[in-house]
Amino acid sequence: MISRLVRTFTSMKIAIYGAYGYQGRLVRAELARRDAEIILVGRDAERLAAVAGGRETRTAAITDHDALVAAFRGAGAVINCAGPFTPAGTAVVRAAIAAGCHYTDTSGEQLHIKRVHDTCSEGARRAGVVATPAMTDGGVPGDLLARVLADHLGGGPLHEVLTGHSVTGGAGMSRGSMRSLLGTADVVRSGGLAYEGGEWRTEARPRLTSLTFPGRGPVPMSRFALPEVVSVPRHIEVQHVQGFVEADLAAQFSGAVPEEAVDAFPENPDAEARRGQRWAVLVRAGTPDGRRATAFAEGSDTYGTTAAIAAEGTLRLSGPPGVRAPAEVLDPAAFLNALAPTGTTWKIT
Ligand SMILES: NC(=O)c1ccc[n+]([C@@H]2O[C@H](COP(=O)([O-])OP(=O)(O)OC[C@H]3O[C@@H](n4cnc5c(N)ncnc54)[C@H](OP(=O)(O)O)[C@@H]3O)[C@@H](O)[C@H]2O)c1
């Protein structure tokens, strides 16, 4: 089934919005490796032409709905890489839906992801398309591992799903990621949304203070605005979902960053630093009767992994129309296995 879908979708045209940005260029390279036909879309015609390499380009501002719809028309899917997403990202989702395209993005911004789920699902259902935000190294492994664990624990309701992210090694963030963090600083500082007893709340007592990642001792963790806190309750009946990152990392993100410092930031980490970077996602799930299981995924190069996830995930999208969590449109184990060429490994521990 999966291989048939992949074959079908590799013949699909994919529009990349924000195509001349750093992540847009990485996504384009991953799509090209998969022989997908690409349309490069962005707001600046000259910068699009500079990266086109003979591919089709279309220009549209995010504020011009009709131009966006025209730019996406004829594509099977849109991958939106134009962050920060919180200010205007839903405009791209609405235009993709109006053009009859499936939609994914590289957002890690929890409020944008929640807004897409809350406000775009009915339109996507009516148009018969799937929209899945947060197709990233941050948004996909945690959601898929939670689904794998829920099935491993019998498929019934869960008491809790707690997910922890760690990033170690030299590579810093891209300027675009810094902008996204700066634009959502209040959400990041507050720890973001947690899912408690059927609703998302900003105030929640952290359900853990440390996590033991394989090969490391206990790591102090702080509550954080992770994408899977929004997506997991869409496909798992669960009382509590909370996201965490290493306390040291959360402390770095919570400091004030002046706008000028972001402009002075390097556009992207260099290739060698990216190779030295390690990311890890640990998911702990428990049932109401006290059974527990843990799943773990790790890999290197967060931006390269995100590009592979966005490209492969978009080509494999398959599920009922609407705004959907990654686990609703991807086969969890098969998709995690398909990331092996990026160096990603995973296991139930
Ligand atoms: N794990 C994760 O959560 C994860 C991983 C990877 C990337 N990301 C996210 O992906 C996004 C892109 O990162 P990046 O490093 O590629 O940033 P970037 O190099 O700054 O690229 C951003 C692109 O979006 C466009 N853009 C931004 N705002 C726009 C607007 N209002 N209207 C039209 N176009 C707009 C930019 O065009 P202009 O230059 O014309 O503004 C540029 O082409 C960030 O939000 C980042 O946080 C998240």
Side-chain angles (χ1 to χ4, degrees):
M1 181 67 174
I2 288 293
S3 62
R4 235 192 72 220
L5 287 168
V6 173
R7 240 191 344 266
T8 308
F9 282 133
T10 47
S11 64
M12 175 167 80
K13 261 193 193 175
I14 299 197
I16 306 173
Y17 192 62
Y20 52 78
Y22 174 53
Q23 195 63 58
R25 282 176 280 138
L26 295 180
V27 168
R28 183 187 59 173
E30 289 293 333
L31 287 172
R33 285 192 330 113
R34 290 162 175 78
D35 292 329
E37 214 179 319
I38 301 163
I39 306 169
L40 305 176
V41 190
R43 62 176 160 188
D44 185 324
E46 272 180 32
R47 294 179 69 192
L48 279 173
V51 299
R55 295 180 199 278
E56 183 178 0
T57 62
R58 297 182 188 172
T59 309
I62 207 164
T63 45
D64 186 340
H65 177 76
D66 292 345
L68 274 180
V69 175
F72 297 154
R73 194 84 73 191
V78 173
I79 303 180
N80 181 12
C81 301
F85 295 85
T86 304
T90 49
V92 183
V93 192
R94 288 183 206 293
I97 291 170
C101 304
H102 300 301
Y103 170 93
T104 62
D105 67 38
T106 62
S107 171
E109 296 165 44
Q110 206 189 45
L111 287 190
H112 161 76
I113 296 160
K114 179 135 188 325
R115 198 177 296 145
V116 174
H117 277 275
D118 289 349
T119 66
C120 300
S121 208
E122 185 49 38
R125 266 199 294 272
R126 269 192 269 113
V129 298
V130 169
T132 299
M135 277 282 190
T136 66
D137 70 299
V140 168
D143 189 73
L144 298 187
L145 290 177
R147 182 70 257 165
V148 168
L149 283 180
D151 294 342
H152 181 74
L153 288 165
L158 295 180
H159 178 61
E160 64 177 14
V161 171
L162 307 177
T163 86
H165 292 198
S166 152
V167 180
T168 55
M173 285 187 294
S174 71
R175 194 184 300 156
S177 290
M178 281 298 285
R179 275 208 188 94
S180 283
L181 265 179
L182 182 70
T184 55
D186 290 348
V187 181
V188 169
R189 268 185 218 118
S190 72
L193 297 169
Y195 186 76
E196 301 290 324
E199 57 186 353
W200 284 272
R201 298 182 183 181
T202 48
E203 300 290 325
R205 181 184 61 81
R207 298 183 70 80
L208 56 78
T209 54
S210 71
L211 276 174
T212 302
F213 288 83
R216 296 165 72 182
V219 178
M221 305 294 286
S222 297
R223 213 162 65 64
F224 201 76
L226 295 183
E228 60 263 39
V229 173
V230 173
S231 60
V232 163
R234 316 275 164 177
H235 56 94
I236 296 174
E237 190 183 332
V238 57
Q239 280 294 308
H240 309 281
V241 183
Q242 294 189 353
F244 297 83
V245 297
E246 283 166 274
D248 284 353
L249 200 60
Q252 283 174 36
F253 291 160
S254 64
V257 184
E259 188 86 45
E260 317 81 71
V262 175
D263 291 338
F265 213 75
E267 192 185 343
N268 50 263
D270 66 50
E272 196 184 323
R274 273 170 50 195
R275 277 193 294 277
Q277 182 190 50
R278 300 291 303 167
W279 60 266
V281 173
L282 186 78
V283 182
R284 210 169 82 184
T287 61
D289 61 2
R291 287 173 300 125
R292 273 188 178 189
T294 302
F296 177 68
E298 65 178 338
S300 64
D301 180 7
T302 57
Y303 290 100
T305 304
T306 289
I309 286 176
E312 189 71 30
T314 305
L315 292 169
R316 286 181 182 238
L317 279 184
S318 156
V323 179
R324 299 288 169 191
E328 294 179 290
V329 293
L330 301 170
D331 177 319
F335 189 75
L336 290 165
N337 290 339
L339 297 178
T342 69
T344 299
T345 59
W346 71 281
K347 60 185 176 184
I348 297 178
T349 57

